[in-house]
Amino acid sequence: MSKERFHVLQPGERRPGRVPLPPGFAVKARTTDTEGRLAILENQLDVDIPPHIHHDADEFVYVLEGEMEVDFDGATYRLTPGMCTLLPHGVPHALRNASQPPARCLQISSPGGWEQFVEDMFEAGPVVMKGGHPDLGRLNEIGAKYGMEYHG
């Protein structure tokens, strides 16, 4: 019954997961909460996200605080609080922080699975970073089962 999936979160509260996420990442609705339809996370853009493709999921990003840049289809867009973007599946894009403190945003992916990728990434630990930059090979290993592909 759908009403069993209802939940209310207080400010700063997050949905529990299989792996504790660091500050700056908060799952608001898990894929299992939405019967696979979507996942919602609040996150802080502490590390720039290199060019990548979501082969299956559309990604919606709404800026809550700070500023960020989005590279999409050969253009760069600067997003400020209250702005949002829809990043359709199958098209490469990249995300960069453009403020201090770092941008904080609400991210919705449909279908869900994004929070599971994030948990897998943090479970892998520092191996996803090389010299302060994302290790694209390791990210691609983790992201493959979620239809994600990172590029240099």
Side-chain angles (χ1 to χ4, degrees), residues 83-102:
M83 293 180 73
C84 59
T85 183
L86 175 65
L87 301 162
H89 69 279
V91 183
H93 58 277
L95 308 170
R96 279 185 309 285
N97 181 57
S99 65
Q100 284 303 321

Side-chain angles (χ1 to χ4, degrees), residues 6-44:
F6 175 82
H7 66 268
V8 173
L9 297 177
Q10 298 298 317
E13 197 174 4
R14 57 178 76 184
R15 297 289 290 145
R18 88 170 189 283
V19 175
L21 298 179
F25 285 88
V27 176
K28 300 300 183 176
R30 298 186 63 78
T31 301
T32 53
D33 295 331
T34 67
E35 297 177 335
R37 291 177 180 88
L38 55 97
I40 304 172
L41 284 81
E42 182 180 328
N43 58 47
Q44 186 169 295

Side-chain angles (χ1 to χ4, degrees), residues 126-137:
V127 297
V128 297
M129 300 294 282
K130 271 189 183 172
H133 301 285
D135 180 343
L136 301 183

Side-chain angles (χ1 to χ4, degrees), residues 48-137:
D48 295 342
I49 310 301
H52 63 285
I53 296 173
H54 302 263
H55 290 289
D56 304 315
D58 287 345
E59 180 180 13
F60 176 84
V61 178
Y62 181 90
V63 178
L64 299 167
E65 296 175 349
E67 298 182 12
M68 63 184 292
E69 293 181 339
V70 176
D71 294 338
F72 184 85
D73 199 28
T76 298
Y77 302 88
R78 189 174 191 98
L79 279 69
T80 59
M83 293 180 73
C84 59
T85 183
L86 175 65
L87 301 162
H89 69 279
V91 183
H93 58 277
L95 308 170
R96 279 185 309 285
N97 181 57
S99 65
Q100 284 303 321
R104 195 170 61 83
C105 59
L106 190 65
Q107 179 182 359
I108 302 169
S109 67
S110 177
W114 179 249
E115 86 285 6
Q116 296 163 354
F117 165 75
V118 170
E119 288 174 341
D120 286 357
M121 183 178 64
F122 283 110
E123 188 173 48
V127 297
V128 297
M129 300 294 282
K130 271 189 183 172
H133 301 285
D135 180 343
L136 301 183

